[in-house]
Amino acid sequence: MLLEIVFIAGLINFVAHYYGLMKNFSAFTLTLWLLGGMVLLFIAAPLLGLFLSTGAPKLFDTIQDREVTRSISLTLWASMAATIIFAIGAIPLAWLLARRKFRFKGLVNALIDLPIVIPHSAAGIAILGLVSRDTLLGRIGESMGLSFVSNPAGIIIAMAFVSLPFLINAARDGFSAVPEKLEKAAYNLGASPMRVFFTISLPLAWRSIVSGLIMMFARGMSEFGAVVIVAYHPMTTPVLIYERFGSFGLSYAQPVAVIFISICLLFFALLRYFSNRTALD
Amino acid sequence: MIELKNISKKFRNFSLKSINLQVEQGSYFVLLGNSGSGKSVLLETIAGFYSPDSGQIFINKKDVTNLSIAKRKTALVFHDSALFPHLTVRGNLMYSLKTGKIQRSKWDSLVNDMASLTEVSQLLDRYPAKLSGGEKQRVALGRALLQKPHVLMLDEPLASMDVTLRSNMRSLLRKINRSGQTIIHVTHDFEEAAMLATEIAVIENGSIMQCGKPAHVFQSPKSEFIARFSGYKNFFEGNIVNNNGHSVFRTKNIEIVLSDSEAVGYGFAAIRSEDVSIGIEKPISSARNNYRGQVTSIEQYHSNYEIIVDAGQEFSAYITAEAMKELALDVGSWVWVSFKAFSVKFIEK
């Protein structure tokens, strides 16, 4: 019922919009609007439905639930940590991919995209195989008092694994878009390679890199499959939503989802706002 | 002093072919060539962006062939300025100072002096996106000069400017050169080359065709290409003198009447061969320039003829096959060479 209402409202809005903006009527553009509008609706309707079906009292109760707030803060900081820690290596890698020729570069590029295309449960299994207690890495961690499994460290690794491609690809495209001539001009003015990187390449690619950082952060935060295999506990919010759905049903999972989505949206709006502002400066 | 010895470099569909050049300290060296002749690539090779397949580059007698770009001190001003878009004009100018060994306390005054020399003092806090083409070039020039380079290399620096700006920029470049700065300037514009150069090299298809003083290169072009390049086969060096209220161009041996009464100073007079006519008698016509001389050579030039006449200066004239037949010219014939004052182009140095 709700979905139908949303759909009709959207259609009315769209038709009104169409007549307001498009003076040159043509059947073809109408078709384009219709098809495109349906896809937009398809994205908006479930989210809108989710928000409308969750009552305010329930949301209020859920937001005071310590388990929920703890999972949200864990998700946010783990994803942020994953982004920052792995950016230290990902940004130089992106520069190398954009500027240097080397053997098997095509293979490296394909490898980087791999985490996007493989099932994330499989990614989780692979990571677990790398960091579980009986592996070399696991033992090294253990000896330093750090366990990856069922630990934020494991969550960070799982998040980074699936979200790194977004940063590397965006940063590589950003570096590629910097005119090589500007780097040459800087060398010509006596600058060392390091200085050229920090004063020319990095600032000029910064906008793409920030956009990649935001994408990586977003993707890490929303990761479920890989995280749930490496660390069911402590629970990140995607895992918590799944757990509440499994144990108590839809109506218990919905408010958590609404709160998490709202916080994500707020975060991205803020990040976008600030990154656009710094880019304009 | 910059010296290139047998520099060769193969690119995908182009190559530099054993280039030998010598650019003396303090000279204004113009590399003249069409687009695709390899002149920009040669500059970038001197700057170190490409390493040659063979040959050596010397700067002040030191072999720099394998030295990194940053250590060469060969400042290159790109055709499109290549200013750093994220830095202000001041930031751009300062860029080389930050890599150099000059004390921080001196930076401001160095930047301000350079800004006033290149007339960008009002623009210091602007970003390159807000500058005109001419302003960008001046900033790029200042940025290049602040590193006190062994050689200043300019890639078509006047190409994107209108006539007035060009003339200002030329005076600025002359001023910089007179202060002792060695300059290598790349252009496709023959007049620009004649105006600025103390030394010219003509480059075509990756090879240096001819090298020398501008008057010499244009006066006795070694190849058809060079002559065609300038479009002027009659090319004389001399001074404008005032003769009874008229401006007259005086070479060592002859005087040439100009239509341009504003012309002053030292420079070149250039006349196209197609504007020069040949007669047996002294013509009674509007042509203000008439000289008697002897034919020294007759060459078939496509379906026409090129006649060289020695009349105190050597003149080249193109005449048709029909005229050739009618005049019955021979080497040694005495003829009159004439051309209008309007056919003379004065190029001020």
Side-chain angles (χ1 to χ4, degrees), chain B residues 206-227:
Chain B
S207 302
I208 301 285
M209 309 291 285
Q210 194 174 1
C211 201
K213 301 269 174 236
H216 181 73
V217 170
F218 293 126
Q219 212 162 37
S220 43
K222 268 191 190 161
S223 76
E224 183 71 6
F225 165 76
I226 295 164

Side-chain angles (χ1 to χ4, degrees), chain B residues 49-332:
Chain B
F49 297 158
Y50 305 110
S51 57
D53 299 336
S54 64
Q56 287 165 296
I57 301 169
F58 295 89
I59 296 176
N60 297 336
K61 307 267 181 207
K62 200 178 133 210
D63 187 345
V64 299
T65 318
N66 297 312
L67 200 65
S68 71
I69 303 170
K71 294 196 174 121
R72 290 195 187 199
K73 286 206 159 201
T74 53
L76 178 56
V77 177
F78 289 88
H79 170 53
D80 61 356
S81 317
L83 295 180
F84 305 132
H86 59 302
L87 301 177
T88 57
V89 169
R90 189 191 305 277
N92 271 280
L93 289 174
M94 271 203 186
Y95 195 84
S96 75
L97 297 177
K98 289 182 180 171
T99 62
K101 293 185 182 110
I102 300 166
Q103 283 174 300
R104 191 176 264 270
S105 58
K106 292 184 181 156
W107 291 0
D108 273 334
S109 70
L110 282 171
V111 166
N112 290 336
D113 290 351
M114 186 53 71
S116 72
L117 175 71
T118 53
E119 292 170 26
V120 295
S121 301
Q122 310 300 315
L123 313 172
L124 283 172
D125 295 316
R126 290 214 206 148
Y127 282 90
K130 296 261 156 69
L131 303 179
S132 72
E135 288 167 343
K136 279 185 195 165
Q137 274 295 347
R138 294 207 301 276
V139 175
L141 188 64
R143 182 177 73 172
L145 282 171
L146 271 165
Q147 65 164 319
K148 296 211 180 312
H150 297 308
V151 58
L152 175 67
M153 303 198 288
L154 310 165
D155 191 353
E156 299 271 6
L158 308 176
S160 56
M161 296 181 191
D162 64 37
V163 179
T164 333
L165 277 178
R166 264 181 211 211
S167 143
N168 290 341
M169 187 70 166
R170 274 198 303 267
S171 342
L172 175 59
L173 292 175
R174 280 200 196 101
K175 193 168 161 191
I176 290 164
N177 177 239
R178 260 185 242 122
S179 73
Q181 177 67 57
T182 311
I183 296 180
I184 303 180
H185 174 141
V186 150
T187 182
H188 67 277
D189 185 336
F190 138 80
E191 275 182 56
E192 194 176 307
M195 283 178 189
L196 289 165
T198 59
E199 201 83 21
I200 282 188
V202 181
I203 182 168
E204 165 70 357
N205 207 5
S207 302
I208 301 285
M209 309 291 285
Q210 194 174 1
C211 201
K213 301 269 174 236
H216 181 73
V217 170
F218 293 126
Q219 212 162 37
S220 43
K222 268 191 190 161
S223 76
E224 183 71 6
F225 165 76
I226 295 164
R228 235 188 355 202
F229 199 93
S230 69
Y232 296 93
K233 280 201 165 179
N234 298 294
F235 198 88
F236 309 115
E237 193 175 7
N239 281 297
I240 298 285
V241 289
N242 202 303
N243 193 349
N244 300 330
H246 296 286
S247 287
V248 170
F249 181 84
R250 182 178 287 162
T251 74
K252 252 183 280 168
N253 305 318
I254 58 165
E255 282 190 354
I256 296 172
V257 180
L258 304 174
S259 62
D260 180 3
S261 55
E262 313 267 290
V264 282
Y266 162 77
F268 303 106
I271 308 115
R272 293 176 191 279
S273 302
E274 43 275 56
D275 291 337
V276 179
S277 56
I278 301 274
I280 302 293
E281 306 283 333
K282 180 173 183 178
I284 303 165
S285 77
S286 62
R288 297 324 303 144
N289 294 294
N290 301 286
Y291 311 93
R292 189 151 190 268
Q294 223 172 351
V295 175
T296 59
S297 113
I298 300 172
E299 299 263 351
Q300 187 137 19
Y301 182 78
H302 304 298
S303 60
N304 303 314
Y305 288 87
E306 183 187 5
I307 313 292
I308 306 289
V309 178
D310 184 358
Q313 295 280 352
E314 283 210 331
F315 287 96
S316 149
Y318 292 157
I319 62 173
T320 58
E322 208 178 318
M324 178 71 195
K325 215 164 123 190
E326 216 164 280
L327 295 172
L329 295 178
D330 246 321
V331 172

